[in-house]
Amino acid sequence: YNKDEDAYHRSAASFNGEQKFSEYLKGNVTFSRATGQADYDNRYLVDGLPHTEFESSVASTALTLDLNRFVSKLQYGVASDTSENFNDMPDYTLFETRRNVGSWENSVIPTDWLTVNFGTDYTHEEVVGTMAYSQTRRDDFGGYANTRLDVDAWSWSVGMRHDNNEQFGSKWTGDTALGWEFMTGTTASISYGQAYKAPSFNDLYWPFADYSFPPFFYYSESGNSSLVPEESETYEFGIDSYQDWGMASAHLYKTHVDNLIEWDGDENGHWEPANLNSVTIRGAELQYGTEWVGISWQTSFTYEKVTNNLTREELDLRPRRRVALDMDRTFGPVGLGLTLSGQSQQYDELDNERVVLGGYGQLDLRASWQVIPSLKLRARVDNALDKDQEPAVGFNNEGRFVMFFVDYTPQ
């Protein structure tokens, strides 16, 4: 291993501006940019100083017309990510993706009991780098329409969406939900929905790279151009209650996924993505929130089992249980808060053998100070107790992590 001290640093800035042109028309501009460097060890290049430099940015602009019963929004955005690896394996130096997204969203309320939403969107994706990709760009055009009826204690919604992907053709998906407010502020609901997800460029065309050092170490990786899109169906039942004392909800869901994309290694140490024919996700979610002794309490619990229906085994890196507790309190201009979170054990693979990773918990702290109406200072400490954790085989957490923020909002 390299004997140097490895570090990680990241700098980020963001801007959000809004301008009202009239009583009904307003514009919005957002921009964020982050740059940084991550050092790491490389057991095969012990004399080097391997590190990765990264940069990401997101910019968008929107124009919204609000006529009360008719709202129309035009939006366009650009997102880019760049990563450069230095002193690493050959041919791994530059990787850059760019995504352009445009959308037109509309909402019409012709009567008090009917709402109609419709719109269209366009996505253009590109990838460039020092490695050669079989395909470097693609477009996707989409359109949707949905409606919601509210009659007395009942509500019903139904929607459809159509995507025309340049690479994978066209696909229709739909969803529907029925709700019944059987008590004041308490609603029971059932829903059904479909989803569709195309493979990423990395999944499809990641060039073959061999890091093997026979006979001691075998590892190679590549994309899989034979991948097909994921398709899923989800059924859900839930009860949600919003009262003067707070809120509570309980939901049960089941999702069936065809062709789920998972990266996996074979007995020769070669890793590539593949479609899993059939996966079932069964889960339950509980949430509760209230205010007590001047403190805002928010807690959640999730149980989720993800099973490969062919092998009857649970998928790797999917803990069955997750729990979180958020506590926040304000003292005039000062705000203090903490988050306690935890997860149960999960499976992973090491040398083609299945291993069990233990569960763990984490404490995060936060504080804020509203200096003046337009200026707020914030601080956050993740993993405040500096606990060692292994979220995946061979990958440790980053330990205690401290961040400071300055928020300026012109009045």
Side-chain angles (χ1 to χ4, degrees), residues 260 279-282 304-308 313-315 318:
L260 180 70
V279 172
T280 298
I281 305 171
R282 296 179 176 89
E304 187 174 83
K305 186 178 180 181
V306 185
T307 306
N308 184 330
E313 292 184 341
E314 295 184 43
L315 298 193
R318 262 82 166 188

Side-chain angles (χ1 to χ4, degrees), residues 183-386:
M183 293 173 51
T184 302
T186 303
T187 301
S189 63
I190 56 173
S191 64
Y192 166 78
Q194 300 171 323
Y196 168 85
K197 179 184 177 184
S200 70
F201 277 126
N202 281 355
D203 294 332
L204 291 164
Y205 305 118
W206 189 264
F208 177 82
D210 191 351
Y211 302 102
S212 300
F213 285 82
F216 308 104
F217 176 75
Y218 293 91
Y219 179 85
S220 61
E221 61 185 20
S222 68
N224 181 356
S225 60
S226 300
L227 292 175
V228 298
E230 300 176 351
E231 298 182 25
S232 67
E233 293 182 317
T234 297
Y235 302 85
E236 185 168 350
F237 169 77
I239 297 179
D240 300 273
S241 184
Y242 296 89
Q243 307 293 337
D244 293 338
W245 48 262
M247 65 79 62
S249 71
H251 284 250
L252 299 173
Y253 59 89
K254 179 181 178 180
T255 299
H256 181 82
V257 187
D258 289 327
N259 303 315
L260 180 70
I261 298 172
E262 285 280 295
W263 281 74
D264 198 7
D266 61 20
E267 64 276 5
N268 298 316
H270 179 69
W271 284 73
E272 70 174 28
N275 287 116
L276 300 183
N277 288 337
S278 178
V279 172
T280 298
I281 305 171
R282 296 179 176 89
E285 293 180 339
L286 301 175
Q287 289 185 310
Y288 178 80
T290 190
E291 186 168 327
W292 181 53
V293 295
I295 300 175
S296 173
W297 304 73
Q298 300 286 335
T299 185
S300 64
F301 171 78
T302 301
Y303 175 88
E304 187 174 83
K305 186 178 180 181
V306 185
T307 306
N308 184 330
N309 294 326
L310 182 63
T311 63
R312 310 309 302 174
E313 292 184 341
E314 295 184 43
L315 298 193
D316 293 339
L317 302 178
R318 262 82 166 188
R320 281 199 188 184
R321 291 171 291 275
R322 298 186 300 273
V323 64
L325 170 65
D326 291 291
M327 301 169 58
D328 290 277
R329 181 166 185 177
T330 57
F331 302 87
V334 176
L336 300 175
L338 64 84
T339 296
L340 284 168
S341 60
Q343 69 175 50
S344 63
Q345 68 179 31
Q346 59 184 337
Y347 295 103
D348 203 356
E349 289 188 15
L350 177 63
D351 296 329
N352 295 309
E353 295 290 335
R354 202 158 213 216
V355 298
V356 176
L357 300 178
Y360 57 85
Q362 181 168 305
L363 171 65
D364 302 328
L365 305 175
R366 55 186 171 272
S368 65
W369 175 30
Q370 191 75 51
V371 184
I372 56 177
S374 60
L375 180 65
K376 176 184 282 190
L377 304 180
R378 293 186 293 124
R380 195 176 91 194
V381 183
D382 293 343
N383 192 12
L385 300 181
D386 199 24

Side-chain angles (χ1 to χ4, degrees), residues 36-328:
Q37 177 176 314
D39 301 334
Y40 57 93
D41 288 327
N42 187 323
R43 69 179 69 186
Y44 307 111
L45 295 172
V46 296
D47 295 327
L49 299 174
H51 65 278
T52 297
E53 296 180 5
F54 57 89
E55 177 182 334
S56 63
S57 64
V58 178
S60 68
T61 182
L63 192 64
T64 303
L65 176 67
D66 189 345
L67 301 176
N68 192 15
R69 288 188 174 271
F70 173 69
V71 179
S72 184
K73 181 179 181 180
L74 281 171
Q75 184 167 333
Y76 177 77
V78 179
S80 64
D81 289 281
T82 302
S83 176
E84 290 185 272
N85 296 317
F86 296 90
N87 201 17
D88 199 356
M89 294 297 178
D91 298 329
Y92 262 53
T93 55
L94 173 66
F95 177 72
E96 181 177 356
T97 61
R98 183 181 178 92
R99 184 182 178 97
N100 299 61
V101 179
S103 65
W104 180 36
E105 304 170 4
N106 301 274
S107 180
V108 183
I109 308 176
T111 69
D112 293 337
W113 48 269
L114 176 64
T115 302
V116 179
N117 302 302
F118 60 94
T120 185
D121 51 62
Y122 163 75
T123 302
H124 174 77
E125 297 174 287
E126 292 186 17
V127 57
V128 296
T130 51
M131 296 173 290
Y133 279 74
S134 303
Q135 182 165 336
T136 60
R137 60 180 61 198
R138 66 183 179 192
D139 297 312
D140 184 280
F141 293 89
Y144 69 91
N146 60 68
T147 185
R148 175 184 170 115
L149 295 172
D150 293 281
V151 180
D152 297 327
W154 294 88
S155 62
W156 177 59
S157 66
V158 61
M160 294 293 292
R161 177 178 174 86
H162 179 260
D163 282 281
N164 186 7
N165 188 287
E166 179 182 13
Q167 190 170 13
F168 295 102
S170 63
K171 178 67 177 179
W172 285 94
T173 53
D175 62 83
T176 186
L178 180 67
W180 174 38
E181 188 176 1
F182 61 93
M183 293 173 51
T184 302
T186 303
T187 301
S189 63
I190 56 173
S191 64
Y192 166 78
Q194 300 171 323
Y196 168 85
K197 179 184 177 184
S200 70
F201 277 126
N202 281 355
D203 294 332
L204 291 164
Y205 305 118
W206 189 264
F208 177 82
D210 191 351
Y211 302 102
S212 300
F213 285 82
F216 308 104
F217 176 75
Y218 293 91
Y219 179 85
S220 61
E221 61 185 20
S222 68
N224 181 356
S225 60
S226 300
L227 292 175
V228 298
E230 300 176 351
E231 298 182 25
S232 67
E233 293 182 317
T234 297
Y235 302 85
E236 185 168 350
F237 169 77
I239 297 179
D240 300 273
S241 184
Y242 296 89
Q243 307 293 337
D244 293 338
W245 48 262
M247 65 79 62
S249 71
H251 284 250
L252 299 173
Y253 59 89
K254 179 181 178 180
T255 299
H256 181 82
V257 187
D258 289 327
N259 303 315
L260 180 70
I261 298 172
E262 285 280 295
W263 281 74
D264 198 7
D266 61 20
E267 64 276 5
N268 298 316
H270 179 69
W271 284 73
E272 70 174 28
N275 287 116
L276 300 183
N277 288 337
S278 178
V279 172
T280 298
I281 305 171
R282 296 179 176 89
E285 293 180 339
L286 301 175
Q287 289 185 310
Y288 178 80
T290 190
E291 186 168 327
W292 181 53
V293 295
I295 300 175
S296 173
W297 304 73
Q298 300 286 335
T299 185
S300 64
F301 171 78
T302 301
Y303 175 88
E304 187 174 83
K305 186 178 180 181
V306 185
T307 306
N308 184 330
N309 294 326
L310 182 63
T311 63
R312 310 309 302 174
E313 292 184 341
E314 295 184 43
L315 298 193
D316 293 339
L317 302 178
R318 262 82 166 188
R320 281 199 188 184
R321 291 171 291 275
R322 298 186 300 273
V323 64
L325 170 65
D326 291 291
M327 301 169 58
D328 290 277

